[in-house]
Amino acid sequence: MAAEFLAANIDRNRNVKKSRISGYVRDIQSDNWVVTGEALKFDVQGRLIDGQNRCHAIVSAGRGAWVLVVRGISEEALVVLDSGSARNTGDMLIITGLAEKADAKDVGAIARLHVAWKAGDVKHAASHIGGSAQLTKTEMAEAVMSIPNIEFAARHARLMYRYLRLPVSALGVAFLEFSALDVDDTVEFFNRIRDGIQNGPGDPFLTLSRRVSNDLQGGASRRILPGQALFYLFRTWNAFRNDETLIKLQIGSPQAGFTPVPTPR
């Protein structure tokens, strides 16, 4: 039926969204597909005017999925279709009680990066989290429920951002990873960042601070990506734990290759 619906797709429909289709496929194949009340819509001429991504996902998944179907939508409805305010991932976390309003955005970002890191998708300092790495709302809910202390990590990361301008998502993931290894060292690590405790050239915290400052000197247009931030934090952590001198944090280049993100030890 989904294939038949696509054959009746309106000519001027929007471009398909491959990342969204991939997410829908995962939900269907993992039995996480939920009937939300959002319908496939056909106009008075029987043409599909809304729902092509869902139809493509059902075809790709090779499995059926329950959806509502509404027929007889007027031509004029195309003008206002999808003009309402869609609920984003943060809205979902608030509505379901998985995160407080003040924490929802950061909880979602931390969960997304944490899942990507655990899945091996943050391989090097230039890794970018986007596209197919985006989680469906069902996957996001499962991720948030599976990560202990993620709300506390979000609040801690937001506080640490005042002292080290790295993405809150990376600061939160670092807190979660480091805490799983050694709570006392985690406290000392972030306290040294907060208090600016640096012991001269070669001190990992001085090197980290200088590298972040240099990266951001280009102005508002400069942005440190989460993968790059994880590299800085994990490399500094390992140097701190091993009493190692750290002179540089080099991310590499497209020509020479980007530096792998180390596993925290």
Side-chain angles (χ1 to χ4, degrees), residues 20 24 29 36 43 56 61 69 96 100 103 120 139 146 152 157 178 181 189 195 219 232 244 247 249 252 260 265:
R20 181 167 297 179
Y24 289 160
Q29 292 181 336
T36 63
D43 67 9
H56 277 296
V69 176
T96 56
E100 297 295 330
D103 304 323
E139 290 170 335
S146 70
F152 183 83
F178 300 166
L181 294 169
F189 181 88
D195 298 336
Y232 290 165
E244 174 190 346
I247 302 298
L249 285 166
R265 305 292 184 189

Side-chain angles (χ1 to χ4, degrees), residues 92-105:
M92 178 275 293
L93 294 176
I94 295 167
I95 292 167
T96 56
L98 292 175
E100 297 295 330
K101 186 173 183 179
D103 304 323
K105 179 181 177 182

Side-chain angles (χ1 to χ4, degrees), residues 30 48 53 66 115 117 160 171 180 204 206 226:
S30 61
L48 179 67
N53 290 323
W66 287 103
V115 168
W117 163 248
M160 291 309 303
L171 290 166
L206 176 61

Side-chain angles (χ1 to χ4, degrees), residues 36-210:
T36 63
E38 183 63 30
L40 304 182
K41 303 180 183 72
F42 291 84
D43 67 9
V44 292
Q45 299 180 49
R47 299 174 302 181
L48 179 67
I49 60 175
D50 188 26
Q52 60 177 344
N53 290 323
R54 281 164 283 167
C55 287
H56 277 296
I58 291 168
V59 172
S60 297
R63 295 178 59 182
W66 287 103
V67 294
L68 297 179
V69 176
V70 175
R71 300 183 183 275
I73 301 295
S74 68
E75 183 79 11
E76 292 77 14
L78 285 172
V79 177
V80 296
L81 200 62
D82 290 338
S83 62
S85 178
R87 289 193 175 101
N88 58 29
T89 300
D91 296 330
M92 178 275 293
L93 294 176
I94 295 167
I95 292 167
T96 56
L98 292 175
E100 297 295 330
K101 186 173 183 179
D103 304 323
K105 179 181 177 182
D106 296 328
V107 166
I110 292 169
R112 187 177 299 110
L113 183 59
H114 190 269
V115 168
W117 163 248
K118 291 298 188 183
D121 293 332
V122 189
K123 295 182 174 63
H124 52 71
S127 292
H128 180 69
I129 308 304
S132 60
Q134 295 298 317
L135 302 179
T136 67
K137 289 184 175 65
T138 301
E139 290 170 335
M140 175 63 74
E142 290 180 346
V144 170
M145 288 188 290
S146 70
I147 303 172
N149 302 316
I150 190 170
E151 278 198 89
F152 183 83
R155 293 168 195 153
H156 179 270
R158 198 160 55 245
L159 173 66
M160 291 309 303
Y161 180 76
R162 301 177 188 175
Y163 307 99
L164 188 68
R165 298 290 181 169
L166 291 176
V168 169
S169 59
L171 290 166
V173 170
F175 176 83
L176 292 168
E177 292 292 294
F178 300 166
S179 298
L181 294 169
D182 190 302
V183 172
D184 290 338
D185 278 356
T186 302
V187 171
E188 182 179 353
F189 181 88
F190 285 107
N191 281 350
R192 288 189 62 173
I193 292 173
R194 181 197 64 193
D195 298 336
I197 299 174
Q198 301 165 355
N199 297 319
D203 180 271
F205 296 94
L206 176 61
T207 301
L208 172 65
S209 176
R210 285 180 173 175

Side-chain angles (χ1 to χ4, degrees), residues 23-36:
Y24 289 160
V25 169
R26 295 196 302 273
D27 277 349
I28 293 169
Q29 292 181 336
S30 61
D31 294 322
N32 284 326
W33 182 262
V34 178
V35 179
T36 63

